[in-house]
């Protein structure tokens, strides 16, 4: 009977999806030309941020004729003699010759343009600015050379030291090299302003991941800025080799090839509120890197910046392999499992170019490995339930003698061949794998913009919203779970979990726990309503397979 209800719920859900999208198609958003080949200027230009660069760089004037450089990955606008990045768009294309990373907020912060390229930097002043003893260094562009897959910009300062800045831009990497020569023996600061622009339609989800980080020996320290409501500074002064800031899917990192030896004396992040976008107040973080001339070789300073997606394809390149840990796989054993999950995910996609289908296939693969553990847990619980009457008699008989009670209980377990931990141990063994899956599926940029079905899930990184009610955004507490809308997959998963719990509770001799189980089920529906549809699709299919296995085992043992 339960299987019939499950199949009926799935069938009705599918019919509802198709019907809803036919009669109530989603409202069209502002659209842009998808082709990255055109250099059209988007109307989503220049979100002005309340927070400005530090006062010491206010006298840096933008170049009268900014330099525009495009690669297969980025489109850059350079100022201050082509030494500083003022604007940066990601124009990397996919197999359909459309932008691989699309989605940008317009200038007003009210409209999200789905087909515009992601913009990480907009109307910045310093990326970077060179400050020497409190004096701004102004540069003049000299020339631009192209050598193979490189574009090299050489600039000379107007100061008497004639500082030379060489900017090297790569066609196959988001890394940009910044090389300074003839630096004087004075206090040297590099300032990186503008922070990172939000890139996601669900702005609150994007901002919850926004953080600043700095190297700490072989790993890094990180501070999340989601709770910042006033100006604040973070200082890392433990000889920092690399640092930066990141959102959910993109990041800015300042590092160098010799980061274990060449380190900044300290890195200071100045954090303050920025413009409100879609009802949410964003944050901006300027970064100052302080260097000692005594640590430089011959007055030369060579750094690199990475400004692009948190994509292991690029983070694992030799120049910046140490930045791959910023994906956040987790610690120790879970981290290795996460990397294995990511490898399997991308490998399957190379064979089946639809991440939605890959998520479903992934659920079958994981069930193949965890199925035997689930079976062992189920059988152990069955044995425990079978001896409950005998166990209760012992508890009633020796309730006043705890030593004798424990002795008799252990004797009963040994006689009946029951392991009291047999039902929990298989589940505990699975936990590291489930945590690793959660980490990867929730944060991987591979799901961003990836569709499953054109009439249902068009972006696996977003919830599969089917209903939206504006009044839910104004209800405190509820707006966190349903402010963006009501998704279908969590409801389906909740129905499956309800049927599974009901089946378990029916066989359980102690029904007093069922209310707690149902409350937890309801909480999971609320929580998963905020998760990406890729993660929910996997968990829904996984739970369906788990239900079918439990049902089969129950029939065999009944």
């Amino acid at each position: 009977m339960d299987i019939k209800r499950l199949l009926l719920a799935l069938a009705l859900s599918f019919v509802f999806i198709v019907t809803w999208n036919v009669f109530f198609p989603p409202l069209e958003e502002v659209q842009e030309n998808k082709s990255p080949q055109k250099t059209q200027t988007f109307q989503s230009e220049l979100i002005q941020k309340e927070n400005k660069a530090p006062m010491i760089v206010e006298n840096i004037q933008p170049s009268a004729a900014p330099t525009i450089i495009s690669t297969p990955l980025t489109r850059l606008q350079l100022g201050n003699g082509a030494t500083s990045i003022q604007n940066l768009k990601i124009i990397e294309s996919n197999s359909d010759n459309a932008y691989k990373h699309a989605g940008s907020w317009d200038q007003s912060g009210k409209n999200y343009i789905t087909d515009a390229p992601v913009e990480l930097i907009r109307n910045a002043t310093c990326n970077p600015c060179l400050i020497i003893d409190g004096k701004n260094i102004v540069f003049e562009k000299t020339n631009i050379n192209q050598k193979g897959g490189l574009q090299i910009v050489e600039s000379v300062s107007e100061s008497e030291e004639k500082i030379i800045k060489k900017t090297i831009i790569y066609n196959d990497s988001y890394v940009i090299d910044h090389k300074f020569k003839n630096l004087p023996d004075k206090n040297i600061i590099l300032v990186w302003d503008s922070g990172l622009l939000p890139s996601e339609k669900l702005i609150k989800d994007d901002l919850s991941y926004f953080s600043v980080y700095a190297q700490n020996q072989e790993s890094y320290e990180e501070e999340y800025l989601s709770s910042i409501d006033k100006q604040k500074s973070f200082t890392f002064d433990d000889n920092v080799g690399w640092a930066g800031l990141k959102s959910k899917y993109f990041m800015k990192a300042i590092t160098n090839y010799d980061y274990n030896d060449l380190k900044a004396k300290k890195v200071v992040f100045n954090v303050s509120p920025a413009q409100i976008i879609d009802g949410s107040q964003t944050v901006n973080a300027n970064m100052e890197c302080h260097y000692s001339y005594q640590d430089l070789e011959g007055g030369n300073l060579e750094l690199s910046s990475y400004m692009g997606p948190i994509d292991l394809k690029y983070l694992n390149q030799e120049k910046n392999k140490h930045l791959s840990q910023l994906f956040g796989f987790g610690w120790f054993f879970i981290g290795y499992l996460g990397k294995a999950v990511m490898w399997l995910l991308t490998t399957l996609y190379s064979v089946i170019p639809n991440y939605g289908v890959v998520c479903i296939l992934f659920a079958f693969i994981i069930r193949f490995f965890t199925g035997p553990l689930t079976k062992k847990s189920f059988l152990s619980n069955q044995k425990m339930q079978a001896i409950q009457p005998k166990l209760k008699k012992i508890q009633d008989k020796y309730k006043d003698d705890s030593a004798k009670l424990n002795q008799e209980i252990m004797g009963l377990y040994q006689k009946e061949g029951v392991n009291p931990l047999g039902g929990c141990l298989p589940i505990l063994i699975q936990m590291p794998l489930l945590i690793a899956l959660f980490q990867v599926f929730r944060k991987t940029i591979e799901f961003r913009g990836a569709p499953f079905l054109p009439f249902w899930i068009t972006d696996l990184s977003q919830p599969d919203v089917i209903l939206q009610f504006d009044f839910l955004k104004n209800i405190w507490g509820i707006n966190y779970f349903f402010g963006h809308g009501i998704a279908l997959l969590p409801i389906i998963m909740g129905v499956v979990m309800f049927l599974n719990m009901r089946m378990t509770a029916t066989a359980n001799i102690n029904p007093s726990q069922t209310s707690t189980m149902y409350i937890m089920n309801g909480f999971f529906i609320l929580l998963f309503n905020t998760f990406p549809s890729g993660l929910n699709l996997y968990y829904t299919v996984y739970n369906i397979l788990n239900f079918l296995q439990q049902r089969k085992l129950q029939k065999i043992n009944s």
Side-chain angles (χ1 to χ4, degrees), residues 2-121:
D2 287 335
I3 293 181
K4 290 182 179 179
R5 291 178 182 174
L6 174 60
L7 294 177
L8 179 61
L10 294 176
L12 290 176
S13 300
F14 185 81
V15 172
F16 177 81
I17 293 168
V18 176
T19 304
W20 182 267
N21 282 273
V22 169
F23 290 100
F24 303 98
L27 295 175
E28 291 191 8
E29 302 177 65
V30 181
Q31 299 292 314
E32 294 282 347
N33 191 320
K34 291 185 179 182
S35 172
Q37 304 301 324
K38 296 186 178 182
T39 58
Q40 171 183 355
T41 301
F42 294 94
Q43 295 181 3
S44 60
E45 295 293 337
L46 308 182
I47 294 180
Q48 296 293 334
K49 292 164 285 294
E50 294 176 5
N51 177 263
K52 300 295 182 183
M55 292 296 294
I56 55 175
V57 299
E58 284 190 349
N59 294 326
I60 293 289
Q61 299 297 322
S63 173
T67 302
I68 305 297
I69 294 180
S70 293
T71 74
L73 302 180
T74 59
R75 183 175 184 268
L76 305 169
Q77 177 177 314
L78 307 177
N80 188 20
T83 63
S84 176
I85 301 169
Q86 294 179 334
N87 297 283
L88 187 152
K89 295 180 180 179
I90 296 181
I91 59 173
E92 181 181 359
S93 61
N94 57 27
S95 58
D96 297 327
N97 202 32
Y99 293 117
K100 182 177 180 180
H101 305 295
S104 178
W105 288 94
D106 68 0
Q107 181 176 357
S108 68
K110 296 180 179 179
N111 299 311
Y112 186 77
I113 308 175
T114 57
D115 292 332
V118 167
E119 296 183 72
L120 299 186
I121 298 173

Side-chain angles (χ1 to χ4, degrees), residues 395-445:
Q395 290 171 340
D396 291 339
K397 184 177 180 180
Y398 299 103
K399 60 182 179 180
D400 297 326
D401 189 348
S402 58
K404 185 65 174 178
L405 174 63
N406 292 331
Q407 182 180 352
E408 290 295 324
I409 289 176
M410 294 305 297
L412 177 63
Y413 287 158
Q414 187 174 8
K415 178 181 177 181
E416 299 292 339
V418 174
N419 182 356
L421 299 178
C424 301
L425 193 57
I427 298 176
L428 293 176
I429 293 175
Q430 296 180 52
M431 286 305 296
L433 176 59
L434 296 177
I435 294 173
L437 284 165
F438 181 84
Q439 290 278 71
V440 173
F441 276 53
R442 193 176 185 192
K443 295 192 295 185
T444 178
I445 199 171

Side-chain angles (χ1 to χ4, degrees), residues 489-490 492-493 496 535-545:
L489 278 173
I492 297 176
M493 184 171 61
V496 177
L535 178 64
N536 287 340
L537 181 61
Y538 161 78
Y539 272 119
T540 300
V541 175
Y542 183 89
N543 276 282
I544 291 173
L545 296 176

Side-chain angles (χ1 to χ4, degrees), residues 366-420:
I366 300 302
R367 282 305 305 170
F368 176 79
F369 288 104
T370 61
L373 294 174
T374 302
K375 180 179 179 181
K376 185 175 181 181
S377 177
F378 179 85
L379 295 177
S380 179
N381 285 330
Q382 289 289 94
K383 290 182 179 180
M384 283 294 295
Q385 292 166 10
I387 68 169
Q388 286 298 316
K390 297 180 181 179
L391 186 61
K392 192 172 187 308
K393 288 181 179 180
I394 294 175
Q395 290 171 340
D396 291 339
K397 184 177 180 180
Y398 299 103
K399 60 182 179 180
D400 297 326
D401 189 348
S402 58
K404 185 65 174 178
L405 174 63
N406 292 331
Q407 182 180 352
E408 290 295 324
I409 289 176
M410 294 305 297
L412 177 63
Y413 287 158
Q414 187 174 8
K415 178 181 177 181
E416 299 292 339
V418 174
N419 182 356

Side-chain angles (χ1 to χ4, degrees), residues 182-206:
N182 302 330
L183 294 174
D185 185 4
K186 297 177 181 179
N187 184 37
I188 299 169
I189 302 176
L190 282 180
V191 177
W192 307 78
D193 73 353
S194 79
L196 282 176
L197 292 178
S199 60
E200 304 308 299
K201 185 177 181 180
L202 293 179
I203 187 71
K204 291 182 180 179
D205 185 41
D206 194 23

Side-chain angles (χ1 to χ4, degrees), residues 253-547:
I254 312 305
T255 181
N256 63 80
Y257 301 146
D258 193 24
Y259 65 89
N260 282 322
D261 294 323
L262 175 60
K263 296 181 181 292
K265 292 188 299 181
K266 64 179 180 179
V267 174
V268 180
F269 293 95
N270 300 304
V271 183
S272 63
Q275 178 175 336
I276 292 179
I277 295 180
D278 190 34
S280 302
Q281 182 172 269
T282 64
V283 289
N284 185 48
N286 295 330
M287 179 167 53
E288 300 175 5
C289 302
H290 297 245
Y291 291 90
S292 171
Y293 181 84
Q294 284 70 32
D295 296 329
L296 307 181
E297 293 185 5
N300 299 329
L301 176 60
E302 297 187 3
L303 299 172
S304 298
S305 62
Y306 180 99
M307 303 181 190
I310 304 177
D311 186 341
L312 294 180
K313 172 184 176 182
Y314 297 103
L315 292 180
N316 280 327
Q317 291 177 335
E318 191 62 33
K319 302 172 187 175
N320 46 257
K321 189 174 292 186
H322 55 282
L323 297 178
S324 62
Q325 61 186 299
L326 290 170
F327 180 90
F329 285 107
W331 300 103
F332 305 113
F333 184 60
I334 292 177
Y336 291 106
L337 281 176
K339 292 177 182 178
V341 168
M342 177 63 80
W343 174 84
L344 183 56
L345 191 70
T346 53
T347 300
L348 289 174
Y349 181 76
S350 65
V351 180
I352 307 171
N354 184 311
Y355 272 114
V357 177
V358 169
C359 288
I360 295 174
L361 182 58
F362 219 94
F364 278 88
I365 293 174
I366 300 302
R367 282 305 305 170
F368 176 79
F369 288 104
T370 61
L373 294 174
T374 302
K375 180 179 179 181
K376 185 175 181 181
S377 177
F378 179 85
L379 295 177
S380 179
N381 285 330
Q382 289 289 94
K383 290 182 179 180
M384 283 294 295
Q385 292 166 10
I387 68 169
Q388 286 298 316
K390 297 180 181 179
L391 186 61
K392 192 172 187 308
K393 288 181 179 180
I394 294 175
Q395 290 171 340
D396 291 339
K397 184 177 180 180
Y398 299 103
K399 60 182 179 180
D400 297 326
D401 189 348
S402 58
K404 185 65 174 178
L405 174 63
N406 292 331
Q407 182 180 352
E408 290 295 324
I409 289 176
M410 294 305 297
L412 177 63
Y413 287 158
Q414 187 174 8
K415 178 181 177 181
E416 299 292 339
V418 174
N419 182 356
L421 299 178
C424 301
L425 193 57
I427 298 176
L428 293 176
I429 293 175
Q430 296 180 52
M431 286 305 296
L433 176 59
L434 296 177
I435 294 173
L437 284 165
F438 181 84
Q439 290 278 71
V440 173
F441 276 53
R442 193 176 185 192
K443 295 192 295 185
T444 178
I445 199 171
E446 305 297 336
F447 286 171
R448 190 179 187 275
F452 173 41
L453 297 174
F455 55 83
W456 180 19
I457 300 175
T458 57
D459 187 345
L460 289 164
S461 70
Q462 303 295 327
D464 61 314
V465 174
I466 56 171
L467 293 172
Q468 286 184 320
F469 301 101
D470 290 337
F471 72 90
L472 293 176
K473 297 180 180 179
N474 301 320
I475 304 176
W476 185 86
I478 296 297
N479 59 356
Y480 176 82
F481 298 103
F482 294 110
H484 61 278
I486 299 175
L488 180 61
L489 278 173
I491 297 175
I492 297 176
M493 184 171 61
V495 171
V496 177
M497 292 176 66
F498 173 81
L499 294 174
N500 200 4
M501 289 179 180
R502 184 180 178 186
M503 179 176 59
T504 304
T506 301
N508 197 330
I509 196 170
N510 184 14
S512 61
Q513 299 176 356
T514 57
S515 59
T516 303
M517 294 168 60
Y518 292 146
I519 292 174
M520 289 185 62
N521 187 18
F523 177 75
F524 276 119
I525 294 176
L526 291 175
L527 188 62
F528 275 76
N529 192 70
T530 66
F531 288 174
S533 54
L535 178 64
N536 287 340
L537 181 61
Y538 161 78
Y539 272 119
T540 300
V541 175
Y542 183 89
N543 276 282
I544 291 173
L545 296 176
N546 180 64
F547 170 80

Side-chain angles (χ1 to χ4, degrees), residues 114-130:
T114 57
D115 292 332
V118 167
E119 296 183 72
L120 299 186
I121 298 173
R122 193 184 287 169
N123 198 33
T125 303
C126 296
N127 278 288
C129 283
L130 180 63

